[in-house]
Every structure is written in structure tokens, then in C-alpha cells.
Amino acid sequence: MVMAGRVVNKRRHMGLQQLSSFAETGRTFLGPLKSSKFIIDEECHESVLISSTVRLLESLDLTSAVGQLLNEAVQAQNNTYRTGTSTLLFLVGAWSSAVEECLHLGVPISIIVSVMSEGLNFCSEEVVSLHVPVHNIFDCMDSTKTFSQLETFSVSLCPFLQVPSDTDLIEEEHGLKDVASQTLTISNLSGRPLKSSELFKPQTKVEADKNTSRTLKNSLLADTCCRQSILIHSRHFNRTDNTEGVSKPDGFQEHVTATHKTYRCNDLVELAVGLSHGDHSSMKLVEEAVQLQYQNACVQQGNCTKPFMFDISRIFTCCLPGLPETSSCVCPGYITVVSVSNNPVIKELQNQPVRIVLIEGDLTENYRHLGFNKSANIKTVLDSMQLQEDSSEELWANHVLQVLIQFKVNLVLVQGNVSERLIEKCINSKRLVIGSVNGSVMQAFAEAAGAVQVAYITQVNEDCVGNGVCVTFWRSSPLDAVDRNNRIAILLKTEGINLVTAVLTNPVTAQMQTKEDRFWTCAYRLYYALKEEKVFLGGGAVEFLCLSCLQILAEQSLKKENHACSGWLHNTSSWLASSLAIYRPTVLKFLANGWQKYLSTLLYNTANYSSEFEASTYIQHHLQNATDSGSPSSYILNEYSKLNSRIFNSDISNKLEQIPRVYDVVTPKIEAWRRALDLVLLVLQTDSEIITGHGHTQINSQELTGFLFL
């Protein structure tokens, strides 16, 4: 790659500007009501419909160093959590602009890095107050409560709000005269939802209850304690294992009202709806998959005394484009697609138990396992090489078929590729061979059918063969299970197998990828909520708390510069200390502006506000109320628990108990924040060449102060 350099204003940073430009393309993906985009290829003029940050970056030209760094950060978030990428991308843009403003005002880079890192760590500690414990979800399963009873309402993009999604049901049940107005509602954490009209509408000043006893909040969660990021000139974000906390600035006495109720979530359906963020169809499938896993675990144990853990590695999807959406469902076992040429084989096998063989790697004539060393100094000389290759593969395929016949095997699952010639021979002999099978599927069949995975077909013996597998069509009528690619869906299962498949269907092929992405996003939200046994209050409450706390902190730093400075960093030089005191309020202010932009965009994306400026005005109004209350977290919790609050008061429903709560997962959200800031600060400190190849040139930054190389 040729490194590009250009003359720019020394107070402007090309890398940060590029990050802001990339982030701007994904603003409409923020929140549950995402607006799809058409990406058009300039060369072949083909277009693709996307509605996620990951798919967006796959379609953009990210050959620049900054583009590669951004893509790596987003991919790392997606590969681990499958959620939070839109938040990450937006905050990258917002905080890049914030850092640019700091540079424009002459704030030293070291101060920007230090204060922003500490500010985010401070936010991570403060949001612990909005944790909602998730316990005993499977100890009190309510078979009478169904997902459909709660899915009438969708999650709003506005903080603390929810928006009705099925307008027909809402109008029928609640007698709404104007569904198009999209009147908003909020749920309270105690299980008694609140009614709400227009969040952040101007109102009289909320009077804080000064007589309420307050106690200093003293419990911080260990897994969110601050970590000092080490930013270097590298393509990777390195972190140390140092978990030493940074003390809060003196004077920041954030209190929590002692009378607050401890809120919990102990119902699977309620948790699933709260984490669906408006995508009820996908989350309903996920919730059904968890139910099937739980039921299977109880059957295997004979009771449900052992704690149940949701195993997301045993959940799979089968996409069938061209079929109506009503065909989407969840089934126990493994559902996959095969060529319609296998129809006679399926019909032959579906009424009998089948013996199975599991092959690791490829099932081809020339496959050798990893680490195999081919004999050297051997040459084959023949007039017709094609004849030799054909003859060799034919002999190999015949040998494989003889092995399958010898051990009476009718089903072969292969983790890698399969020889086309072998597939043809197996079809003719009424044997089914399926390739590209996930490793977890192979392991599940090995456990349930008693099979042993082997690398080569020559290793197969009686002890390696599994028994009792059932092969059938997914639908009773095979023609109902044929997709637009002329493939047919089949079901493989055996007694006790721990596999669940979500069949995803859509009449529009272009939307199939989006549907699958959304399913996995919901699945991983629920997985991490159950794994961590806690969730955040959702709908923007966490971000609003971060914004409130940073604003208070900035004001206190401005008033008590020297006193606040001593509480943040230790063992610093007098120059650094004085610089921190001078610049900390400015940096904190711009860091908080990132949250302000985040919330404003969420509100604006609801189409209930004419501009982001109007949305920002409403946020600022409540921000002032939170600041005046002296405790932003208490303010947020109080507004959730007030039935008579004018802020969240509406006449949308007389059946308050039907309005579900809204939640966010904890670790994926916190990690999205950290990755976003790590990336911005990494690019900020890169005022010399980023090494992306073997060779590089050393640059004297003192001599080229007017240049920024990326």
C-alpha cells in the first residue's frame, strides 16, 4: 500500500476526519427502527440492500489505514457479541469530532487521551446503578404467558420510551383514535408501566425532593472496573490487565434515594421482549429455541434440578428464500438444505433408523489432514494427465462406496467439501452425503448417536458408526420446502440430540441476509443477559446517565480545578497537573457532547422531531432537571417510578400491566464504548506512518509539523 500524505492545517487531523466521514454513513442504523440503504457498485452497477453496520462496511472501500482500523474494531465487536456495532460506529464519529474540537482549542494530546479515558471509566462505574438483576429465569417458568401477549408494543428509540408496533391491535384494545401520531409509552421497573406522551417536551421545572434521605452509592461491579488502555502505533488495541480503579473526583457526591425499590427480572418472556428492541419476530424465534433447549435438558436429566445454561453454540439457522415469512419456525434437530436430486434418497430413508458416519475435513480424493507431509522427489509422467486424474478419483469413489456398504452406512456428514463424483455414486446407491456441516453439529450427533469423528474414510470401523438417526423432509409435502435455489429442506434428528434449528424464510431474497443477522443479534442479546445475570435499563437511560454525570463532573472540575485534579491522577508533574486542571472541563464537555449527539440522533430517527436540534433541546431540558436533582441516577429511576410524571404521562393505555419493559445487555454495550474510544485515541496519537506492510519510512514529526501521515 502506498502511504498517502497531504498538507493540512496542523490543528486538523486527517485520520479523525476520515473516521467521522465513515461514521456518518451509518447514522440511520442507530436504534431499533433502522433505515435500509442501497449500496451500488460503481463498476458493475449492482446494488445490495443493507441495514446493519457490518454489512455497510463490507460494501465500502476500506483500503485506507483508518478504514482498516475501523473495520477491525467493528468486526471484533460483531464476532464477539453480534450487537453494539451501530453504537460503536456512531460514537467513533461523535468522539472523533469531539477530539478535533479539542485539538482546535489547543488541548495537548496527552491531556485528551488521559481525561477521555478516565471519563469513560467514570461512566462505566456510574451506570452500575442502572443494572437490573436477572435471576431464576427458569425456576418459575410461566407456561400461560406467551411472547405474543407482550409483542403488541415495540421499543421506542427515545430514552425510557416504547412505541406501539402493531397499530391494529393497539387501536382495537385501547381505542386509539390516531395511531399515526405514534404516541409514546414507557414502562416502569416495578412491573407497573407508566404512561407517557412526549418525552423531553418542555414542562415546568421538576422539583427535587430535598427532604428525601440520600446515601452515598458505594457498590461498583467488579467486571466494569476501569482499565487503562495502552494506545500505540499499531493496528491493534492493546490493553493491560491492570484493573486498578481510578477514584472519583472529590466533590462528586452522587446519591441514590434510599426508598428506591430493587428491580429484578425473573421471567424469560419479559426478558426476551425487553431485549427485542422492536424486532419481535426474531426474538420470538430465539425465545422458542431457548424453551426447546430447556425442555430437552429436563428430559435428559429426568428433572430440572440442575441449573440450565443457554447454549448458543447449539442453535443454528437454515435460510429458505422464496418461502412466505409465516413459514419461519424453530424445530428440534438439524435442518439443512440439499439438492432436489436427493429426493428419492430421502424418501427411501425417512421410514427407518439410519447409521451415520462423521468425517472431519474434506471428503475428497486428494484431501490430506493438516500437517501431512507429501513425499518429496516423486514425479508422475503420463501422456494424459486428465485420464490419470479421472481414473484415480473414480477408483477412490468406488472404494469409499464399498466402505459405506460394508458398514451399512446411509448417512455421511462431512465438515468440509465433498467430491461431486462421490455424491453422484451415493445418490445412485440410496445414500445421503452432506458437506459443509458445522463442527458443533458434528459433535452433537457424535454425542447423541454414539458416532466417532474420523479424518479419513479408511479409518471407519464398527466403533465409529452411529445409530438411530432419523432423516425426513422438513415439511410433509416436499414441494413446500423447496427454496428459490432449487434446494430442499430436510430434518436430521435422533433421540436426545441437543440441537435446535431456526428456519428463516422470506419471499424477498435480498432481505434474507438481514433477517438472519437480526436473528443472531437477538439471540446473542438474550445469551449475554442470561450469562451475566444482569441487564441495563434500556431505551437510552444508560447514555442519559453518562451525559448527566459527565456534565456535572465538568462543572465541578471548572469550579474546583486544583481539588478535583488531585483526585484523578497521582504522581504527575506540576506542569501536567496544571494542564489537567485547565483543560479537563473542556475535554469532559466534548466527551459528553458525544452522548448528547447519540441521544439526539436516537430521538430524531423516530421521525417525531423535525430536527436533531429540536431533539437536543428536549434532552437538554431533562439534563438540567437531572443536574438540579443532585443525583442523575436517582432522577432516572424516579422518572421510571412516577405514575403521575408529566414527562412520561400519556393516555395510550388503560391496561398498564401489558406494557413490557425495555432492557440492554451490559458487557456488549460497555465494550462498544471502549472500542470506539480506543480507536479514536489510537488514530489521534498516530501522527506518523501506520505500519501496514513490511517496509516503512521513519518520519521526523518535528520537522514536518504541517503534515499528518496516515
Side-chain angles (χ1 to χ4, degrees), residues 118-131 217 219-222 224-227 243-249 254 536 545-546 549 670 673-674:
E118 304 303 337
L120 185 59
N121 287 333
F122 177 69
C123 289
S124 300
E125 295 175 349
E126 289 301 309
V127 296
V128 174
S129 62
L130 298 185
H131 281 175
K217 183 173 58 180
S219 61
L220 296 177
L221 202 65
T224 56
C225 66
C226 57
R227 300 173 306 199
T243 57
E244 181 180 357
V246 178
S247 61
K248 296 180 185 180
E254 217 249 308
F536 273 137
L545 178 59
C546 291
C549 291
I670 297 295
W673 299 351
R674 293 190 184 279

Side-chain angles (χ1 to χ4, degrees), residues 222-237:
D223 62 354
T224 56
C225 66
C226 57
R227 300 173 306 199
Q228 181 66 38
S229 298
I230 305 299
L231 299 176
I232 62 174
H233 296 277
S234 169
R235 305 185 66 208
H236 305 283
F237 309 141

Side-chain angles (χ1 to χ4, degrees), residues 15-196:
L16 296 176
Q17 294 177 65
Q18 290 180 29
L19 284 179
S20 297
S21 297
F22 282 127
E24 189 68 24
T25 62
R27 293 176 68 88
T28 60
F29 296 152
L30 196 61
L33 301 181
K34 307 180 190 302
S35 299
S36 299
K37 291 179 179 289
F38 272 107
I39 304 297
I40 302 176
D41 193 318
E42 293 181 352
E43 295 181 357
C44 58
H45 301 290
E46 293 182 354
S47 62
V48 61
L49 184 66
I50 55 98
S51 60
S52 73
T53 297
V54 175
R55 303 303 170 190
L56 172 65
L57 295 184
E58 287 177 353
S59 304
L60 296 180
D61 180 12
L62 301 176
T63 55
S64 66
V66 171
Q68 291 179 33
L69 288 170
L70 174 61
N71 189 51
E72 286 182 3
V74 171
Q75 289 296 337
Q77 178 76 16
N78 183 67
N79 293 339
T80 305
Y81 302 111
R82 293 294 186 101
T83 185
T85 54
S86 296
T87 294
L88 191 159
L89 182 64
F90 185 91
L91 290 178
V92 163
W95 285 336
S96 293
S97 299
V99 169
E100 279 196 88
E101 293 294 334
C102 291
L103 291 175
H104 183 70
L105 294 177
V107 181
I109 290 179
S110 60
I111 302 298
I112 297 175
V113 173
S114 176
V115 176
M116 282 197 165
S117 297
E118 304 303 337
L120 185 59
N121 287 333
F122 177 69
C123 289
S124 300
E125 295 175 349
E126 289 301 309
V127 296
V128 174
S129 62
L130 298 185
H131 281 175
V132 177
V134 177
H135 294 307
N136 306 320
I137 288 292
F138 300 98
D139 293 347
C140 49
M141 298 284 286
D142 185 359
S143 60
T144 62
K145 181 182 291 187
T146 62
F147 197 98
S148 58
Q149 289 177 334
L150 295 177
E151 69 175 344
T152 298
F153 294 90
S154 174
V155 176
S156 169
L157 296 180
C158 306
F160 321 116
L161 298 182
Q162 299 176 30
V163 178
S165 59
D166 191 332
T167 54
D168 294 330
L169 288 177
I170 294 171
E171 186 171 8
E172 177 181 351
E173 294 183 12
H174 307 298
L176 295 180
K177 296 181 180 180
D178 185 12
V179 178
S181 64
Q182 298 184 4
T183 310
L184 307 178
T185 57
I186 169 178
S187 72
N188 118 8
L189 292 179
S190 65
R192 299 182 60 198
L194 307 178
K195 298 188 292 183
S196 164

Side-chain angles (χ1 to χ4, degrees), residues 633-646:
S633 60
S634 295
Y635 176 81
I636 293 171
L637 293 174
N638 282 333
E639 294 307 328
Y640 266 96
S641 60
K642 285 182 181 178
L643 286 174
N644 59 350
S645 171
R646 292 189 59 188

Side-chain angles (χ1 to χ4, degrees), residues 318-324 482-485 487 504-510 512:
C318 178
C319 298
L320 299 177
L323 274 64
V482 179
D483 66 8
R484 288 184 174 175
N485 297 321
R487 301 174 304 173
L504 307 179
T505 60
N506 197 296
V508 182
T509 304
M512 200 71 257

Side-chain angles (χ1 to χ4, degrees), residues 311-339:
D311 188 354
I312 200 170
S313 68
R314 296 300 176 92
I315 304 293
F316 297 92
T317 56
C318 178
C319 298
L320 299 177
L323 274 64
E325 284 200 75
T326 53
S327 298
S328 295
C329 65
V330 173
C331 302
Y334 178 58
I335 298 177
T336 187
V337 291
V338 296
S339 172

